[in-house]
Amino acid sequence: EISNLTNLGEIYLMQGDMEKALGLLNVALSLNKQIGNKYKEADILTSIGSVHSEKLELKKSLEAYTKAINIYKNINCNNGVS
């Protein structure tokens, strides 16, 4: 379910419907936190950062991207971290 919500959120992002995208991604993030999959959490936060970036909410975008980077670093994952 989390992957489906994330995928739908990313589709709405590509279609330009930022509110639907953000809503779905936030639900996915909430559900994922119950499971504790850190890698997926970072992926979802990256998508949330993209939505905020598209909405020109740069402070929120930076916060989401920073959280994602910190998670990637903590789980020793170089995916998306340079």
Side-chain angles (χ1 to χ4, degrees):
E1 182 178 5
I2 294 168
S3 291
N4 289 335
L5 290 168
T6 303
N7 291 339
L8 283 171
E10 290 174 356
I11 289 169
Y12 281 117
L13 169 61
M14 288 184 274
Q15 290 179 338
D17 192 337
M18 300 306 145
E19 296 310 315
K20 282 187 181 178
L22 195 55
L24 289 166
L25 292 167
N26 280 321
V27 171
L29 183 63
S30 178
L31 290 173
N32 187 73
K33 283 186 177 181
Q34 295 174 15
I35 295 169
N37 182 333
K38 290 297 186 182
Y39 182 84
K40 188 67 179 170
E41 181 179 348
D43 284 348
I44 296 168
L45 284 166
T46 299
S47 295
I48 289 172
S50 295
V51 173
H52 285 302
S53 181
E54 288 292 321
K55 293 176 70 177
L56 299 177
E57 296 174 347
L58 302 182
K59 184 176 180 182
K60 289 181 180 180
S61 178
L62 182 62
E63 289 171 3
Y65 287 140
T66 301
K67 287 179 185 177
I69 288 170
N70 288 333
I71 292 169
Y72 286 131
K73 286 180 180 178
N74 285 334
I75 59 174
N76 295 319
C77 176
N78 292 323
N79 185 29
V81 179
S82 52

